Amino acid sequence: MKRSDFIRANIDPILDAWEKFAGEISAGRNLEIGTLRDHAVGILHTIASDLDRPQSPQEELAKSTGHGPRLLLTTEAEMHGATRVMAGFSLDNAMAEFRALRASVLRLWTKARQEVQPGDAEDITRFNESIDQALSESIGRFSDEKDRYTRLFDALLSSSPDLHFIFRADGAIVYANKSFSRLYGMSTAEIISRNLFDICSVGAQELRGLVDHLIATRILYQGDIPCIPSASDIAATYEGLLIPVFDEAGNFEAIAATARDVSERKAMEDRIKRNANYDSLTGLPNRRLFRDRLEREVKRSARADVPCALLFIDLDGFKDVNDRLGHAAGDQLLQQAAQRIRHCVREVDTVARLGGDEFTVILTEVTRTAHVEILAQQILAELAKPFSVLDSDVQVSGSMGITLCPQDGGTPDELLKNADQAMYAAKAAGRNRFGFFTLEMRNAAWARLRVIDELRNALADRRLFLHYQPIVDLASDRIVKAEAQLRWLHPDSGLMSAEAFIGLAEETGLIGEIGVWVHSEALAHAHKWCALSGASFQVSIHKSATELMIKGPLEPAPAPPGGGLLIEIKEEVLLHSSPAMRSTLELLRQEGGELAIDDFGVGCAAMGQLKKFKVHYLKIDRSFIHAVTNQTESRMFVDSIIAMAHKLGLKVIAEGVETAGQKDWLKTAGCDMAQGYYFSAPVTPDDFEQLLLAEAARAGAEACRRA
């Protein structure tokens, strides 16, 4: 039997073997049996017809290379290739089907033949050529279809405004549509093989983390795509998918990504959220957001045992402004009041408008009640300043109630009620003031306010004084300088040293006014005493970091001739100085002042900082001087400071000298000057003049004896 007749007679057994093989291919399991058999039947009949047809040597040669004559415009083999592309077959799977077809026919043919017949070799050759021809046609169509689908796929994705791209785990881009390429200012050809992690200037590390997670979990990612091009001036928000792709063996191959610019949608969502949670007039949180934050802060306070405070503020006189100048003026007043309150608090605190002229403030992490009081006074002071609305100056004030959590209440409703009651109590007490919910705290606040008011009036009432402690030159035993020390003659507590009230002066801003007065007084005395000492005379004054930060005049008039100031600062000012501090110190130097480091040795100032700030004197802290006569370590430390200072061209002043032994040791060690109770306690200006006169008299008597 001829091979062609054998094929026609054994269609079903051949198809059974074909079907069994195709079913073992993963993509083939999804195809219907009819689809598998139809193409196989057509291919077998085509091969059988070709075997029956005589062929020339030229046709035989062409067929052996897969380029035999085409009997139909579209062959069954080509239809097979097109179908397999659509079914998701790989090229190897499609080729394997033909190998299986060849093996099935040859196996059945060999089994059916008892012995070799003449012409069998030629039939086998012709059959293999026909199979190869069909395979060539199928693979050709398979490749053409693949290319066509790739073009269609690329056209589809490139027409999309969304970003579509594929990249490997190392970031190498293997595919990008036109939208993706345009985003980075490149052509599609240029961006292929570029590294995604390199061209994403923002979010590269976060993107790497997502890739690692995708590979490890094999679960696609849906959400924000952290990749912003470096060429973008405005940060955009992209949402999309990152899909891990694995080959048939389960090995990671690439990541297919799609992303869409959702910046406009996000902006709209933010606007909607803002409208729901923020007051449209002032921009502050509204009642809804205020309640949410207060509930959160109350829970946090209970959990972490960190107190918080709630301030309830009502504007005094707002209704009069609204009625007299109209709602537009009232709106402007509310906007300005909101800004003034907001500028008084920290970023972590919440200022809200509940409605009308009522504002609230949530203060987090309240460690000291005194800080709440100071802040309340600042807010009231700001609200008491004139407002300019509709070209008119208007004056209002604020009444404030304060409650603390958890001391006064443990729920938002309790706190709000407490603060509201305390606010009305403050309003009833005369307005333009604050009150605490509890009587004890309110009394403490009023007592503190009284101290502030008394200190504020201390200058006008002439209750501030300067006492002076002599600074003695150890080589000559003569008074060459004086340290000014501030005192307050309190109406109830008597004479108070600066340590008792200077912190309060800094917190309330009074330090600036007091500092100018000290500056002026010290200069006047320095000028007066230079005549008594027979040479230029220096008075040292202290300047804190807070005072150095205050903008404004440092002294009311230029320094008079013959008298000067020695400005004493702490070591921490050198360590944490700001441009404003450095500018102030430079101005003081230009006006004739010299610079001394007070309490030297207790901080960590470096030699470079001493030179940078052009320091003239080091004042050794009294704690080291007390021990120089009985502790080797203290003597070594003071010795090293003196030696170091002299090498840098600085002079040394020892503080807290109380015994003759300390003075003698310091003189032997080469210390330049000293001060302390051994020489004199701080005294009034009149008593200090007596010290200078007595010293001048002794010097005159000594000169007479020598003469």
Side-chain angles (χ1 to χ4, degrees), residues 89-127:
F89 275 58
S90 68
L91 182 60
D92 286 341
N93 290 340
M95 293 175 63
E97 284 189 299
F98 280 91
R99 290 195 295 271
L101 185 64
R102 185 199 308 270
S104 297
V105 173
L106 290 177
R107 188 181 306 108
L108 291 172
W109 170 267
T110 303
K111 186 176 180 180
R113 304 289 285 176
Q114 299 297 324
E115 56 184 26
V116 178
Q117 302 292 329
D120 282 354
E122 181 180 354
D123 276 352
I124 291 175
T125 301
R126 288 286 305 276
F127 170 73

Side-chain angles (χ1 to χ4, degrees), residues 88 99 105 142 158 186 212 232 260 299 435 440 474 561 571 594:
R99 290 195 295 271
V105 173
F142 185 96
S158 291
M186 304 180 194
D212 293 340
S232 292
R260 173 171 296 179
K299 292 178 181 177
E440 293 80 6
L474 291 176
E571 283 185 87
E594 292 186 321

Side-chain angles (χ1 to χ4, degrees), residues 219-237:
I219 300 174
L220 67 83
Y221 166 81
Q222 182 174 6
D224 289 348
I225 306 297
C227 187
I228 301 173
S230 55
S232 292
D233 294 328
I234 301 176
T237 302

Side-chain angles (χ1 to χ4, degrees), residues 545-562:
T546 302
E547 188 177 353
L548 291 172
M549 287 291 293
I550 296 176
K551 295 181 180 179
L554 297 171
E555 57 175 299

